[in-house]
Every structure is written in structure tokens, then in C-alpha cells.
Amino acid sequence: MVGHEGTWLFGPQTQQLGVLMPTHPKVGDKFQAENVPNVPREEDEVISVAKTVTIGSHTYRDCVEIKETLSDSKIEHKFYAPGVGCIKEAETDGSLELEHHEVQLTR
């Protein structure tokens, strides 16, 4: 981590927290991950809780797919794998995929 430029912090920019994802997401759940004054809003909806996503040689099962509709009507899809987090972002102008994931177990 080298800085926080381009991100917002609770308190200085907003007094209302967003929801990254519901605790137990279900298809059809709607929420706002970003709701910051003077920043574009997004409306999020759970599209699937059972997606299988293959990236490189690794296959992730039971992924949650979130459809994000941005304030400019642009649509993005994000895929979250259990125990990993966001593994893929698909946008109209391309997509980003997780390049490396290393599991670290602690006792």
C-alpha cells in the first residue's frame, strides 16, 4: 500500500457507510456499495450466488456475481470467490482478473 489517493474515508467525506456486500447475499438483493456526496453513485444487485469462474488454471466455485449500475448508466459485473474476495471485474471496455492468490492459514 502506497497511499489512499482516489479512495474515500468514512468521516471526512461521508457520514453514511455503504454496504460492500450483504452478509448472506441472495439473488435479487439490492444495495449501494458507494454512496458518497459529490461522487458518482452506484446501484448494486446480486445476480448469482453460484457462479463458476475460471481464471487461468484455477476454477472458483460458488462465486457471487454483483451487477453494478453506475450513475452514468455504465454497467460493471464483479465476481467474488468465497475466502478470496473479488476475482474478476467485467466492464464494457474490458475486464480485470485476479493474477495471483495465496492462501495463508493462521492458528
Side-chain angles (χ1 to χ4, degrees), residues 60-62 80-87 98 101-105:
Y60 300 90
R61 289 179 174 69
D62 298 321
Y80 296 84
V84 179
C86 188
I87 57 168
L98 180 70
H101 171 247
E102 188 175 308
V103 176
Q104 294 182 357
L105 301 175

Side-chain angles (χ1 to χ4, degrees), residues 8-100:
W8 58 269
L9 302 174
F10 177 67
Q13 289 95 349
T14 183
Q15 297 298 314
Q16 182 178 1
L17 291 173
V19 174
L20 180 61
M21 185 181 306
T23 304
H24 301 288
K26 296 180 293 301
V27 173
D29 283 351
K30 295 182 180 184
F31 56 97
Q32 292 181 320
E34 296 177 5
N35 186 7
V36 181
N38 303 317
V39 175
R41 294 173 47 127
E42 70 181 47
E43 301 290 331
D44 301 310
E45 180 178 0
V46 178
I47 300 299
S48 175
V49 294
K51 276 283 193 203
T52 298
V53 179
T54 300
I55 297 174
S57 63
H58 192 83
T59 298
Y60 300 90
R61 289 179 174 69
D62 298 321
C63 295
V64 175
E65 178 182 1
I66 303 293
K67 174 185 173 186
E68 295 181 347
T69 304
L70 308 178
S71 58
D72 63 1
S73 298
K74 184 177 176 181
I75 294 177
E76 300 176 349
H77 289 259
K78 291 186 179 174
F79 301 84
Y80 296 84
V84 179
C86 188
I87 57 168
K88 181 176 181 178
E89 294 184 20
E91 303 176 9
T92 54
D93 56 355
S95 65
L96 301 170
E97 295 181 348
L98 180 70
E99 290 184 14
H100 177 72

